[in-house]
Amino acid sequence: MKKRLVSLLAMATMTASMFAACGTADMGGGSATEEKEPASTEEIDAEAAAVDLGEDTGKVLNIYVWNEEFKSRVTDHYPNYEEVDATHGKIGDVDVVWQITENAGNAYQDNLDAALKGQADAADDDKVDIFLIEADYASKYCDTDYTMPLSDLGITSSDLADQYEYTQTIVKDGSGRVKASSWQAASAGLIYNRDIAKEVLGTEEPDEVQAAVADWSKYNETAKKVADAGYTMCSVMDTYRTYSNNVSGQWVQDGKVVVDDNIMNWVDDSMALVEDKAETTYALWGDDWAKGKYPEGKQFCYFGPAWFFNFCLDVDKEGTVANDGRWGFCEGPQSYYWGGTWICAATGTDNPNLVKDIILTMTTDQSVLKEIATADLDCVNSKTVLGELANSDEGNMDLLGGQNPYAQLAAGAEGIDLSNLSPYDQGCNEEFQNALKNYFEGNATKEEALDLFKKAISEKYPTLTVE
């Protein structure tokens, strides 16, 4: 059998410039891997079938993460995992070490970058085996040889056939090889307060609320009704991703930064709603933004995916809208996605068989995925499982008043378009929102705020043209 593993020697010759200090990689106009004509699925599957991983030799499995989410999924759902303490576990004879670094100030990526750049010379027990990435910076890692193609682990397209296509497209390298796998399908929608909907719209039923927010024109009309009744819709920052996921082109085109028309629609729509006191300017995750989780917050909606249900609405806190089961869910003005977490195999791992099993178990085993969906309120990356949940009371959620959101979530996952994804998305999106907040809060004109954005991008990506 032929053994196909990217050599550590190749890794050792990579330059440190592959990783930028900012959240998104500035690849300097190229990628870390040699540009090749994309291989066909048949060619990649043939390579996967020829893989011989040999025996695992590692005594320690190092997993790099930025929070407890994946750890909790493994602890609760991976067979034979034994928890030792908050950062250690065991799988058989292998010690599992969770390298947890919060991503505030880009700390997670900085720590991971340093570890990957030192992988070739690291002691066996210190080698990175698995690390996680998010959508915003997926290409930063997938376009380098620090991540193993899943085919190098012997994973074929048939193993991933039940996953949503976008979850694979987002983590392909230039040769067409899938470099990571996710247990999540992070399609998103509009999460609305049923009590406010009933008062203002005369209904709390998802289909009827959807009709009131079916496009941005109807959303803006509804927002004015909500404001007239003494409520707000949400923060302008909540709606941003819905607009930015539906652009007509990439942020960077031929080396030039381009602000898409739909991004400017967000600016103009948001400012009109701020002036009408129909939306706020609160920063995501802040204390003021979080007041909408409670009835006294008088907020009509949040925009978010399924992970938002479990991690952001404080369902276990008495007195929250979620705890009272008074949220509802509908698609909203435009289909979009938000986030998702992908599992990468680090080149140089000395536990390739275990890494392969973790990836397949956590992202393709339908029984495990169904457990994750029902126990953790997650929208999992399985067409079969979501189809079953959409047609079963198992998909009903107490925090949504017994509503089953899986049909909408599955439809949203099918409709996600990643054709305009680029390595600059995280940096450009963050700086644009930061700059335009000055405009919404009256601290700058629109032109001045746009100039602040251009200045920030010029400093972050000095090789790009910003006009």
Side-chain angles (χ1 to χ4, degrees):
M1 297 286 283
K2 182 181 179 184
K3 190 172 184 179
R4 297 191 64 258
L5 295 178
V6 180
S7 71
L8 286 172
L9 178 62
M11 287 175 45
T13 61
M14 288 182 179
T15 64
S17 63
M18 287 299 100
F19 295 114
C22 56
T24 305
D26 182 354
M27 307 303 272
S31 69
T33 52
E34 181 184 350
E35 292 293 332
K36 299 177 182 177
E37 189 71 23
S40 68
T41 300
E42 292 75 14
E43 290 172 321
I44 296 171
D45 282 347
E47 294 170 356
V51 167
D52 178 10
L53 294 178
E55 294 185 1
D56 288 358
T57 59
K59 297 178 181 179
V60 176
L61 186 81
N62 287 298
I63 303 178
Y64 280 65
V65 296
W66 59 83
N67 62 19
E68 296 278 343
E69 182 185 17
F70 182 56
K71 178 179 177 292
S72 70
R73 298 291 184 267
V74 172
T75 300
D76 294 343
H77 306 293
Y78 186 74
N80 303 317
Y81 180 85
E82 301 176 21
E83 187 167 28
V84 175
D85 58 35
T87 56
H88 295 83
K90 288 189 73 70
I91 300 174
D93 295 330
V94 177
D95 292 324
V96 179
V97 179
W98 295 92
Q99 305 282 355
I100 303 173
T101 307
E102 293 186 8
N103 205 24
N106 209 55
Y108 169 69
Q109 291 185 58
D110 291 343
N111 185 51
L112 175 61
D113 295 352
L116 291 175
K117 286 184 284 189
Q119 180 87 328
D121 299 319
D124 289 346
D125 289 351
D126 296 332
K127 292 187 185 302
V128 183
D129 295 287
I130 286 173
F131 63 93
L132 301 191
I133 58 174
E134 291 186 293
D136 284 342
Y137 51 83
S139 60
K140 170 183 172 180
Y141 295 96
C142 292
D143 285 338
T144 75
D145 286 335
Y146 289 110
T147 48
M148 290 176 65
L150 298 189
S151 56
D152 280 0
L153 291 171
I155 296 174
T156 67
S157 61
S158 62
D159 292 320
L160 308 177
D162 196 41
Q163 295 184 342
Y164 287 96
E165 183 178 356
Y166 94 89
T167 67
Q168 297 175 36
T169 301
I170 200 171
V171 289
K172 285 184 177 179
D173 65 10
S175 66
R177 289 169 172 79
V178 178
K179 303 290 287 289
S181 187
S182 179
W183 70 91
Q184 293 175 316
S187 60
L190 185 147
I191 306 164
Y192 64 89
N193 185 309
R194 287 176 175 269
D195 292 328
I196 297 175
K198 194 168 184 177
E199 177 184 341
V200 177
L201 301 177
T203 179
E204 63 180 82
E205 294 305 311
D207 289 346
E208 296 177 37
V209 174
Q210 172 60 22
V213 295
D215 55 40
W216 288 116
S217 176
K218 291 180 179 178
Y219 174 91
N220 293 335
E221 290 176 8
T222 295
K224 292 178 181 178
K225 293 179 183 178
V226 167
D228 288 343
Y231 303 99
T232 58
M233 287 296 279
C234 58
S235 168
V236 295
M237 300 305 172
D238 275 272
T239 63
Y240 179 80
R241 283 182 179 270
T242 317
Y243 284 88
S244 67
N245 274 197
N246 289 280
V247 293
S248 60
Q250 294 185 344
W251 264 112
V252 177
Q253 300 172 27
D254 298 323
K256 179 182 177 181
V257 176
V258 178
V259 181
D260 192 85
D261 287 346
N262 210 40
I263 299 291
M264 292 307 302
N265 289 340
W266 171 73
V267 174
D268 295 335
D269 288 351
S270 296
M271 191 58 178
L273 293 175
V274 168
E275 290 175 339
D276 287 340
K277 301 188 184 308
E279 285 189 348
T280 66
T281 62
Y282 299 147
L284 296 183
W285 323 123
D287 291 342
D288 288 330
W289 174 87
K291 290 177 181 177
K293 300 175 186 180
Y294 293 84
E296 54 268 30
K298 294 182 175 293
Q299 182 167 311
F300 180 71
C301 65
Y302 286 105
F303 282 71
W307 55 256
F308 202 95
F309 300 152
N310 200 20
F311 287 99
C312 304
L313 294 177
D314 293 347
V315 66
D316 294 327
K317 290 186 178 180
E318 187 174 348
T320 63
V321 178
N323 189 262
D324 292 339
R326 298 305 294 158
W327 290 112
F329 181 82
C330 63
E331 295 92 332
Q334 289 182 289
S335 295
Y336 73 107
Y337 77 98
W338 184 358
T341 305
W342 280 258
I343 308 171
C344 297
T347 299
T349 175
D350 47 9
N351 287 293
N353 292 284
L354 180 55
V355 170
K356 175 183 178 180
D357 189 68
I358 290 173
I359 290 174
L360 288 178
T361 299
M362 299 305 298
T363 70
T364 70
D365 186 309
Q366 291 180 13
S367 63
V368 170
L369 291 171
K370 192 167 187 178
E371 283 182 12
I372 292 173
T374 55
D376 304 313
L377 305 184
D378 219 341
C379 181
V380 294
N381 193 16
S382 166
K383 298 175 185 178
T384 299
V385 172
L386 291 196
E388 291 176 357
L389 290 171
N391 293 288
S392 167
D393 288 344
E394 289 181 284
N396 299 349
M397 295 187 184
D398 290 341
L399 69 90
L400 297 179
Q403 179 188 348
N404 187 327
Y406 283 107
Q408 294 102 314
L409 290 167
E414 290 282 10
I416 292 172
D417 179 9
L418 298 178
S419 59
N420 292 315
L421 198 70
S422 85
Y424 300 97
D425 288 355
Q426 183 181 13
C428 289
N429 286 326
E430 288 178 351
E431 295 299 347
F432 194 83
Q433 292 174 83
N434 290 339
L436 269 297
K437 195 172 190 293
N438 292 282
Y439 171 51
F440 300 141
E441 295 183 341
N443 298 320
T445 65
K446 182 163 69 173
E447 291 70 24
E448 289 170 342
L450 290 171
D451 285 341
L452 288 172
F453 165 69
K454 295 172 184 177
K455 180 180 179 181
I457 288 299
S458 295
E459 293 174 353
K460 181 167 284 190
Y461 304 120
T463 62
L464 300 180
T465 300
V466 184
E467 298 179 356

